[in-house]
Amino acid sequence: MVSYMGVLLYGVGGIVVAGVALLVAFQEKLVYVPVLPGLSKSYPITPARLRLDYEDVWLTSSDGIRLHAWFIKLLPDCRGPTILFFQENAGNIAHRLEMVRIMLQRLQCNVFMLSYRGYGASDGFPSQHGIIMDAQAALDHLHQRTDIDGSRIVVFGRSLGGAVGAVLTKNNPDKVAALILENTFTSILDMAGVLLPFLKWLIGGSSSKGPRVLNRFVRSPWSTIDIVGEVRQPILFLSGLQDEMVPPIHMQLLFAKAATRNKNCSFIEFPTGMHMDTWLAGGDHYWRTVQRFLEQYVPEKKEMAPTTVGKIG
């Protein structure tokens, strides 16, 4: 007769095997969702639908992948800060246009919206290594433009976009003025235990108490908790306390890690904010918070008054 301990070991072994199979075969599909169920990969609308002045931008990443982006200006001669916006993992940049429309009005800024590889009109297939290269291509493009102030570029990332933005900001201390993180996770390893509870003892970040035997199979760990402590630019953390996807404790842990080395960190909570609608639920308080952060750390440059040269008589 098979002992109870033997059955238990067989059961644990089965879970490990099943977990490995899931991670190896489907992890990209779990992390990256360029196409929402029932919708197409293409953009349902463009900024023109919302009467926004925009430019289609085509970039090439360092590994040769063709990328698409929208550069949106409030006004043709707007010299305000430029927000480099990185979206969540699902859908495409068109699904964020209503939020961006309000962002333009409230912050008097430009917004650059990048489609990660495999998303929207961009070629390729998403991966952590690839998306990091995509983000760098977007930032390099902005610094080549002559119609914006390159010293006032602010990276804004929500959820997965926050992980992308944190890496880009850390890697470019002289090109990014500040970072805004909204409802971002500590790592995909920690999120795996949230989304797949039966694996939580077999996968996780440094704070996990389990054996973490599945960590080695994760191709896109996005360990923001290890990156954010190395960011030297000012960081604003925006946390929706009703977030149904990323537990709010993740944002608290990110702030705690960053604040130990970076004194220019601010943490703001929005009691009714969910994962995707914190900007909407937060209302005026949300936008005033972002506006004050920009005014403090990315201020408008004052033009020097012309010097009057007196005559020598």
Side-chain angles (χ1 to χ4, degrees):
M1 185 178 231
V2 179
S3 68
Y4 173 78
M5 184 60 68
V7 171
L8 181 62
L9 290 175
Y10 275 118
V12 171
I15 291 175
V16 172
V17 171
V20 170
L22 281 172
L23 285 173
V24 171
F26 300 112
Q27 63 179 272
E28 274 77 21
K29 294 185 181 298
L30 293 172
V31 176
Y32 309 111
V33 189
V35 183
L36 292 170
L39 300 178
S40 67
K41 182 174 180 286
S42 60
Y43 305 125
I45 62 173
T46 70
R49 175 76 67 86
L50 300 182
R51 299 181 179 180
L52 299 175
D53 180 23
Y54 80 104
E55 171 188 343
D56 278 303
V57 178
W58 294 96
L59 308 171
T60 302
S61 65
S62 58
D63 63 341
I65 300 297
R66 188 169 185 254
L67 306 169
H68 177 254
W70 285 328
F71 182 59
I72 309 174
K73 280 192 170 185
L74 176 64
L75 298 168
D77 59 347
C78 177
R79 300 291 292 185
T82 295
I83 306 295
L84 175 51
F85 179 77
F86 296 121
Q87 67 160 77
E88 307 87 331
N89 73 318
N92 60 51
I93 54 177
H95 300 126
R96 280 80 191 175
L97 279 174
E98 179 58 27
M99 186 274 289
V100 167
R101 181 183 67 83
I102 298 175
M103 177 184 285
L104 291 164
Q105 297 172 348
R106 293 299 302 261
L107 305 181
Q108 299 290 294
C109 63
N110 310 307
V111 179
F112 192 91
M113 305 179 74
L114 172 70
S115 280
Y116 309 134
R117 60 184 60 204
Y119 282 70
S122 294
D123 295 339
F125 300 93
S127 67
Q128 176 171 332
H129 181 65
I131 290 176
I132 289 173
M133 289 188 284
D134 300 345
Q136 189 65 54
L139 180 61
D140 292 343
H141 167 81
L142 287 175
H143 273 275
Q144 292 169 3
R145 298 185 71 106
T146 59
D147 58 343
I148 67 169
D149 184 345
S151 69
R152 302 183 73 196
I153 295 174
V154 177
V155 169
F156 190 131
R158 182 184 295 134
S159 192
L160 172 66
V164 178
V167 174
L168 184 69
T169 302
K170 183 200 74 117
N171 290 343
N172 295 270
D174 299 324
K175 290 185 176 182
V176 176
L179 172 65
I180 301 174
L181 298 180
E182 181 178 320
N183 297 337
T184 297
F185 46 76
T186 52
S187 72
I188 288 295
L189 299 174
D190 290 328
M191 283 302 298
V194 174
L195 300 175
L196 303 170
F198 65 94
L199 294 181
K200 74 180 300 181
W201 293 102
L202 303 174
I203 188 171
S206 57
S207 61
S208 174
K209 297 179 180 179
R212 296 176 286 170
V213 295
L214 299 183
N215 283 14
R216 70 184 66 184
F217 298 101
V218 177
R219 293 185 288 270
S220 292
W222 288 113
S223 189
T224 315
I225 192 72
D226 294 325
I227 297 296
V228 75
E230 300 180 40
V231 173
R232 295 294 171 261
Q233 298 94 314
I235 310 175
L236 174 62
F237 295 82
L238 304 171
S239 178
L241 297 185
Q242 302 304 315
D243 192 328
E244 74 285 11
M245 293 293 294
V246 178
I249 186 65
H250 284 231
M251 285 289 287
Q252 296 168 19
L253 291 170
L254 290 176
F255 171 72
K257 183 66 175 290
T260 57
R261 297 184 179 181
N262 187 340
K263 302 305 179 185
N264 295 320
C265 292
S266 303
F267 185 88
I268 309 298
E269 296 178 333
F270 298 90
T272 61
M274 299 179 71
H275 190 63
M276 299 283 287
D277 78 346
T278 297
W279 64 275
L280 188 60
D284 185 65
H285 175 47
Y286 177 95
W287 293 112
R288 285 184 180 275
T289 296
V290 179
Q291 184 179 32
R292 285 194 295 267
F293 177 76
L294 297 179
E295 289 173 350
Q296 180 176 0
Y297 294 111
V298 195
E300 182 179 359
K301 292 181 178 178
K302 296 182 179 179
E303 295 185 6
M304 298 291 291
T307 303
T308 302
V309 180
K311 295 181 179 179
I312 299 177

